[in-house]
Amino acid sequence: MSLATPPGDPGFRSLDELEEIAAGRLPAPIWAYVQGGAGEERTLRANRSAFARATVRPRVLRGVGEIDLRVRLLDSPCAAPLFVCPTAYQAKIHPDAESGVARAAATEGVVTVVSTLSSHSIETIAAAAGAGSRWFQLYPQPDRAVERRLLDRAEAAGYSALVVTVDTPVLGVRDRQARGGFAIDGSVPIGNGSDVVPPSRGPILDGVTYRLRPDAGATWELVDRLREQTRLPIVVKGILTPEDARECVDHGAKAIIVSNHGGRQLDGAPATLDVLPDLVAAVGGHAEVYLDGGVRRGTDVIVALARGAKAVGIGRPILWALAAGGEPGVRQYLAMLKLEVVVAMALLGRRSVAELDRTVVGDRSEPPI
Ligand SMILES: Cc1cc2nc3c(=O)[nH]c(=O)nc-3n(C[C@H](O)[C@H](O)[C@H](O)COP(=O)(O)O)c2cc1C
């Protein structure tokens, strides 16, 4: 007997199947853009292998008749400790693009973080999200007037946090993407207007030194300036060291995202899960700490939370789900992920997110399974 796929069903039953379907739907250059990392992709692999090394400690007979995934992120209620990571150019993946993702996230009660480089505009995505929580991700712009306009538009359209990505003074050296032939340049339309630019592609030799774009000259004053320019809480994305985590707190960030940009920026940077506990300690409760990079399954979510993250972000799987089935595909993936978290919590004997403490995860020296 074959399992017929109901009409409108994106047609995946597991994560592996989802990735396979997405690979088959997208042209090779776009697939290389989505999947690729920087250089030899050591960091990309490390994100996943850090989760593969982690083990969890099931507890039994602890009364798991009801399980609650709800949390508050930046003082707003969320159905689960999850957010959709900002990813650029989603119309290249499916016509539903960011609007479809925002609608799916809203249905599932999950925050969506919208990229500066979205294919749909800030306002169109906000209308699609309706009452759903949305945060705006800013790539600092060389033209401050353009940056200012983006902030004003995000505020006016009901975005409730500003996520500033700070790990991209220049784009990483992305071998797989380059071989695939997808170039992040002016030829890819940006929904927020033609004056909005992606991070700089490369340094230019200027006499005996190399010159980067003016926005690469940013210092921590950037966070101070943004704080003056917006009333939205500031989340700093792309932090990997305790030193920088403390800078975020000193400059008034309300949250940090421990992120290596999905292994796309600096090859050799550590896996986010490995550095998380030290960054949580460095922040010392003065800001919320989130993590992204390699989160795929319910148990990954649990392990990151048990090591101190307040929420985790999902990058590539959202794009796979978008490719596989547009908005319904993303909805299905998010629902599946939440169910996996619930099943894992039941098997761990934990009823609420607050109960996901350090005792959930095994010793790091345990052999991989
Ligand atoms: C195709 C693609 C595009 C991305 N675009 C952006 C972006 O526009 N802004 C940003 O801050 N991060 C961007 N990222 C990084 C993600 O926000 C996130 O940090 C990363 O994907 C998390 O890792 P994961 O893909 O393993 O879940 C992008 C990632 C991918 C895969």
Side-chain angles (χ1 to χ4, degrees):
M1 193 185 79
S2 74
L3 280 174
T5 304
D9 183 320
F12 57 88
R13 298 283 174 274
S14 71
L15 191 70
D16 285 353
E17 201 184 0
L18 169 59
E19 190 173 357
E20 233 175 79
I21 294 173
R25 293 269 161 90
L26 294 178
I30 305 292
W31 187 241
Y33 160 68
V34 168
Q35 295 295 87
E40 293 165 22
E41 303 188 338
R42 286 191 292 141
T43 298
L44 176 66
R45 283 190 297 277
N47 279 347
R48 281 303 297 146
S49 54
F51 282 108
R53 281 197 315 274
T55 56
V56 285
R57 302 176 61 248
R59 297 290 310 278
V60 299
L61 296 176
R62 285 165 60 101
V64 289
E66 186 178 344
I67 290 176
D68 188 352
L69 291 189
R70 289 172 302 167
V71 289
R72 292 184 79 81
L73 301 181
L74 297 175
D75 270 338
S76 295
C78 302
L82 301 172
F83 61 89
V84 172
C85 289
T87 55
Y89 310 132
Q90 290 179 9
K92 291 271 172 202
I93 305 217
H94 190 281
D96 287 358
E98 295 84 6
S99 299
V101 171
R103 265 192 303 266
T107 307
E108 292 301 324
V110 164
V111 176
T112 190
V113 187
V114 175
S115 170
T116 295
L117 307 178
S118 52
S119 302
H120 291 179
S121 72
I122 286 174
E123 294 78 11
T124 305
I125 302 162
S133 281
R134 48 195 178 271
W135 299 351
F136 178 68
Q137 177 263 325
L138 177 73
Y139 274 131
Q141 294 290 303
D143 182 340
R144 292 219 181 146
V146 171
E147 190 173 282
R148 186 71 208 236
R149 269 200 301 278
L150 285 171
L151 296 187
D152 291 346
R153 286 171 61 185
E155 272 190 28
Y159 290 72
S160 58
L162 177 66
V163 177
V164 55
T165 299
V166 292
D167 60 7
T168 34
V170 63
L171 288 171
V173 176
R174 300 180 181 175
D175 292 8
R176 195 187 330 187
Q177 184 180 309
R179 274 202 312 272
F182 182 86
I184 297 176
D185 58 22
S187 67
V188 191
I190 294 174
N192 290 321
S194 53
D195 51 357
V196 174
V197 294
S200 156
R201 278 181 75 190
I204 293 164
L205 184 60
D206 181 10
V208 289
T209 60
Y210 290 85
R211 190 159 297 287
L212 283 83
R213 237 175 35 192
D215 47 301
T219 65
W220 286 98
E221 278 166 22
L222 167 72
V223 180
D224 300 331
R225 175 163 59 79
L226 292 174
R227 251 182 37 233
E228 280 163 24
Q229 286 179 353
T230 179
R231 56 182 169 75
L232 302 181
I234 291 180
V235 180
V236 182
K237 176 173 184 280
I239 299 299
L240 290 168
T241 62
E243 302 92 291
D244 283 345
R246 277 190 289 269
E247 292 276 13
C248 291
V249 171
D250 290 348
H251 290 272
K254 294 282 185 252
I256 68 169
I257 305 181
V258 180
S259 173
N260 52 34
H261 217 104
R264 296 162 80 81
Q265 281 298 97
L266 181 60
D267 203 20
T272 51
L273 184 66
D274 286 338
V275 295
L276 174 67
D278 287 347
L279 272 66
V280 171
V283 164
H286 296 293
E288 296 184 356
V289 179
Y290 313 138
L291 169 142
D292 73 22
V295 179
R296 302 288 177 265
R297 317 214 56 133
T299 44
D300 302 335
V301 176
I302 299 236
V303 165
L305 264 52
R307 289 214 181 137
K310 177 125 203 224
V312 298
I314 316 292
R316 292 178 182 84
I318 297 292
L319 301 179
W320 304 340
L322 187 64
E327 177 190 337
V330 177
R331 218 169 44 225
Q332 183 177 324
Y333 171 72
L334 286 172
M336 191 170 95
L337 181 62
K338 286 197 292 187
L339 268 184
E340 282 194 12
V341 176
V342 171
V343 169
M345 282 173 67
L347 298 175
L348 289 163
R350 304 307 204 276
R351 287 166 300 202
S352 70
V353 172
E355 290 179 4
L356 294 172
D357 60 12
R358 295 293 164 99
T359 63
V360 167
V361 276
D363 191 299
R364 272 200 235 184
S365 61
E366 281 177 38
I369 48 170

